[in-house]
Amino acid sequence: MALFNKKSKENTEVKVDERLQHIAFIMDGNGRWAKKRGMPREYGHTQGAKVFKEITEYCGDIGINTVTVYAFSTENWKRPKAEVDAIMKLFIDYIYEALNVMMKKDICIKFLGDKSPLPDKMKELMTEVEEGSKNNKKHLNIAINYGGKDEIVHAVNTAIAEGITEITEKDIEDRLYTKGQMMPDLIFRTAGEQRLSNFLMWQSAYSEFYFTDTLWPDLKPEHIDAAVENFYQRQRRYGGL
Ligand code: IPE
Ligand code: IPE
Ligand code: MG
């Protein structure tokens, strides 16, 4: 089965405009979802991966240009090795699936984060997917071994290595993993926690936040609709009046 292959006709109506172009998800609650069912945490990640496909497809269908998902943080290495290994295996399976689908959907896939400590096979797949899809118009960013602090430090060090002595905001922005992309309009976190957990620290400066108690593996298109509706009731001022 390939990514985004379930086209649900009733859900293809465009529901957003230029005000809501980029949604970023903190996909949280896989472990709790599995535990509630007396299952190992890994089962929650498997279910979470299926929901990732459904939700990213749905976001594309309603007209979202850029979707970013937080899949593995720089801090998630602290987890038991068996869980980390299971997550890495899921990534390898899903990245492989993504390869042929993103072309049909005109989606450019980009991995945000430091690839260096990832398994070699995974790095090769990631590069292949990024290269193959780079001219597509829509964006799917998958944050793996991603940390907001790490990203900013990396950007600053890159600028220093290039000989820049007085760093501007633009110098940093141009060296983030999200270079050239829109900032997230909406950051959506599942599973009740109301924190950023080192996600998109720079890019979220003026993002709107939406939290739900729903665990990621239970997330449905109607939860996205509720968040979209809520988003359109807000007024973004960016410090102005
Ligand atoms: C999110 O779900 C997935 C990753 C962080 C990889 P969790 O695994 O954090 O699930 P909970 O928060 O423990 O329920
Ligand atoms: C954030 O979730 C990271 C991802 C969703 C990949 P965590 O479960 O790691 O966050 P904390 O530990 O609850 O802050
Ligand atoms: Mg969690």
Side-chain angles (χ1 to χ4, degrees), residues 177-237:
Y177 296 119
T178 52
K179 179 189 170 192
Q181 297 190 7
M182 287 172 281
M183 298 293 157
D185 299 301
L186 182 64
I187 295 187
F188 185 129
R189 182 166 188 154
T190 56
E193 254 61 74
Q194 302 195 354
R195 55 178 172 254
L196 209 45
S197 300
N198 204 10
F199 190 42
L200 301 179
M201 291 181 59
W202 180 282
Q203 297 87 337
S204 64
Y206 272 101
S207 299
E208 298 295 323
F209 288 82
Y210 184 85
F211 301 105
T212 175
D213 288 338
T214 304
L215 304 175
W216 176 262
D218 286 328
L219 205 72
K220 301 274 181 302
E222 55 255 37
H223 296 113
I224 306 301
D225 289 348
V228 168
E229 206 182 307
N230 180 284
F231 174 87
Y232 278 107
Q233 287 161 14
R234 302 184 190 191
Q235 196 196 4
R236 300 178 80 184
R237 285 184 289 278

Side-chain angles (χ1 to χ4, degrees), residues 10-226:
E10 66 278 10
N11 286 333
T12 51
E13 177 200 345
V14 171
K15 295 181 176 173
V16 298
D17 57 15
E18 70 291 342
R19 287 173 291 172
L20 182 47
Q21 293 280 294
H22 183 176
I23 300 188
F25 291 98
I26 302 177
M27 310 188 288
D28 198 18
N30 291 351
R32 278 165 279 175
W33 184 89
K35 209 177 154 200
K36 262 172 65 181
R37 285 159 178 77
M39 299 293 281
R41 292 178 56 84
E42 288 75 5
Y43 180 62
H45 295 309
T46 305
Q47 191 58 31
K50 288 183 189 151
V51 170
F52 154 77
K53 291 200 291 188
E54 287 162 16
I55 293 296
T56 51
E57 177 190 7
Y58 183 72
C59 287
D61 287 350
I62 63 169
I64 303 287
N65 174 278
T66 303
V67 176
T68 300
V69 294
Y70 202 7
F72 194 86
S73 75
T74 46
E75 287 75 37
N76 287 147
W77 298 103
K78 293 177 193 163
R79 296 185 180 200
K81 187 175 182 298
E83 180 172 344
V84 171
D85 287 349
I87 293 171
M88 292 301 152
K89 186 176 179 305
L90 268 177
F91 287 153
I92 291 173
D93 293 348
Y94 275 75
I95 296 166
Y96 185 73
E97 283 188 16
L99 197 57
N100 52 49
V101 181
M102 68 214 165
M103 301 312 286
K104 285 186 216 145
K105 288 274 182 176
D106 204 15
I107 291 166
C108 162
I109 295 195
K110 200 166 163 36
F111 295 97
L112 314 182
D114 176 10
K115 291 190 183 88
S116 56
L118 300 173
D120 285 342
K121 186 181 170 197
M122 194 166 146
K123 279 191 277 204
E124 283 164 28
L125 276 173
M126 288 161 100
T127 307
E128 201 179 326
V129 167
E130 287 183 328
E131 274 300 308
S133 67
K134 69 181 178 196
N135 296 321
N136 293 347
K137 280 201 286 295
K138 288 184 169 185
H139 298 275
L140 173 61
N141 297 318
I142 307 177
I144 296 180
N145 191 30
Y146 173 87
K149 289 189 199 175
D150 179 68
E151 180 182 36
I152 295 166
V153 169
H154 174 261
V156 171
N157 280 331
T158 306
I160 291 170
E162 288 168 23
I164 301 172
T165 48
E166 223 176 278
I167 292 167
T168 64
E169 288 188 10
K170 188 168 186 308
D171 290 330
I172 293 181
E173 244 158 57
D174 287 350
R175 288 160 184 82
L176 296 174
Y177 296 119
T178 52
K179 179 189 170 192
Q181 297 190 7
M182 287 172 281
M183 298 293 157
D185 299 301
L186 182 64
I187 295 187
F188 185 129
R189 182 166 188 154
T190 56
E193 254 61 74
Q194 302 195 354
R195 55 178 172 254
L196 209 45
S197 300
N198 204 10
F199 190 42
L200 301 179
M201 291 181 59
W202 180 282
Q203 297 87 337
S204 64
Y206 272 101
S207 299
E208 298 295 323
F209 288 82
Y210 184 85
F211 301 105
T212 175
D213 288 338
T214 304
L215 304 175
W216 176 262
D218 286 328
L219 205 72
K220 301 274 181 302
E222 55 255 37
H223 296 113
I224 306 301
D225 289 348

